[in-house]
Amino acid sequence: MDQYRKKYKWILEKGTSEKDKALEKKKEETDDERILDLALIMDLTSSMGPYIEISKDTLKKVIEDTMINYPDLEVRVAFVGYRDFCDTKNIFYIHDFTFDLDHMKETIGKQQAIGGGDSPEDVQGGLRQVLDLSFRENSIKLAYFIADAPCHGSKYHTGHDGNPQGNPHGLVLEELVREFSDREIDLSCYKLTDQTETMFKIMEKSYNECELRV
C-alpha cells in the first residue's frame, strides 16, 4: 500500500477494550483456535445511498448470527469501508479487529455514503486493506462483502470507467481473491445490483481455483 500512503489519507482505528489489549500483548498462538475473526467490507460511496441503511443492518445481523452460530468461539469483528480514487482524504475507513461487538455495531451505524466519481469503485484497495488486518494465525476467518458497484477494469463490467486498465496502483482483483482462499478466509459476497454480476463471478472462479489446487 506504499503508493496509497503517498497519495491518499484514511482513518484507521484499533480495538481498545481490555480484552483487545490483552490479546495484542499475547505472543502465543495456541488459543487462536477458539477465536473467530469476522471481517466486514462495504462500499461507502454515494451510489450506495439507496442501500446504505439496509446494508448496515445486514452487517449488524451478520455479527449477531455469527455469535449464535459459533457459541463456543470468541468473536472479533473488523470493518473496512472503501470509496474511490477521487476521495483522496477519506478513501478508506478501517477499524481493525475488536472483541467489543456493540462498539462495532455503533461504528457501522455511523458510516455515510459519500464520494465516488465514475461507476466503478476501489474494490481492490478495500480487499487489500482487509487482507492487511490483524487476523490471528490460527483463528477461523470469515469475510462478508457488500457492494452495489464493480471494481475498476473493463473486464469486470460494461459501464464507463476512468481506469479501464484496472487499479492504477497495481492491485489485481484475482490475485487478491486468491490470497483470501490461500489464507483460508471464507469470503461471502452480497449482490445489491446487477452491476456486480461479472465481478462476483470472476471472484468466485478465482477463489475456487485455489481450492482446486490443494
Side-chain angles (χ1 to χ4, degrees):
M1 300 297 289
D2 288 344
Q3 293 188 47
Y4 276 83
R5 293 187 181 93
K6 293 176 182 177
K7 192 170 184 179
Y8 309 105
K9 294 181 180 179
W10 59 83
I11 296 172
L12 170 61
E13 297 188 44
K14 294 186 177 182
T16 58
S17 73
E18 292 304 315
K19 202 169 182 180
D20 294 327
K21 294 175 183 177
L23 184 65
E24 187 174 0
K25 292 178 182 178
K26 187 177 179 182
K27 301 301 181 184
E28 297 84 2
E29 307 285 345
T30 53
D31 294 333
D32 284 1
E33 293 86 354
R34 296 191 62 252
I35 294 176
L36 187 150
D37 285 334
L38 171 64
L40 307 175
I41 316 136
M42 187 165 69
D43 180 344
L44 292 179
T45 59
S46 57
S47 66
M48 280 287 289
Y51 316 106
I52 191 71
E53 293 305 323
I54 191 170
S55 295
K56 290 190 287 189
D57 290 342
T58 297
L59 293 184
K60 292 176 189 176
K61 190 172 189 306
V62 167
I63 296 174
E64 294 166 0
D65 289 347
T66 301
M67 294 173 64
I68 293 171
N69 293 334
Y70 298 90
D72 298 327
L73 298 180
E74 298 280 352
V75 177
R76 299 196 306 161
V77 178
F79 176 80
V80 171
Y82 64 89
R83 294 188 169 91
D84 204 7
F85 306 120
C86 58
D87 304 301
T88 56
K89 294 183 179 180
N90 61 347
I91 189 170
F92 303 118
Y93 174 85
I94 304 163
H95 196 303
D96 209 341
F97 288 107
T98 178
F99 287 109
D100 191 344
L101 306 188
D102 288 335
H103 169 71
M104 187 57 73
K105 290 179 188 177
E106 292 177 8
T107 296
I108 292 171
K110 293 177 182 177
Q111 301 306 309
Q112 295 180 311
I114 57 175
D118 51 6
S119 178
E121 315 297 359
D122 187 21
V123 174
Q124 293 97 324
L127 294 179
R128 181 68 262 167
Q129 293 285 13
V130 173
L131 290 165
D132 290 343
L133 293 170
S134 62
F135 285 97
R136 297 294 287 186
E137 184 177 351
N138 297 318
S139 65
I140 294 173
K141 303 172 183 64
L142 307 178
Y144 287 81
F145 173 32
I146 295 184
D148 73 312
C151 62
H152 285 282
S154 57
K155 67 184 289 186
Y156 306 110
H157 61 88
T158 58
H160 169 68
D161 192 339
N163 292 276
Q165 79 286 355
N167 180 283
H169 305 299
L171 298 178
V172 179
L173 182 69
E174 291 89 333
E175 293 177 0
L176 295 165
V177 173
R178 291 186 194 111
E179 185 172 342
F180 273 85
S181 184
D182 285 340
R183 292 171 57 184
E184 298 184 343
I185 304 172
D186 190 273
L187 178 61
S188 299
C189 300
Y190 286 80
K191 175 183 170 184
L192 296 175
T193 71
D194 289 338
Q195 292 185 61
T196 57
E197 181 74 21
T198 299
M199 178 184 73
F200 282 162
K201 285 182 178 179
I202 291 173
M203 291 176 68
E204 181 179 20
K205 183 173 183 288
S206 297
Y207 193 96
N208 291 334
E209 282 176 350
C210 288
E211 294 186 334
L212 291 173
R213 293 204 310 263
V214 177

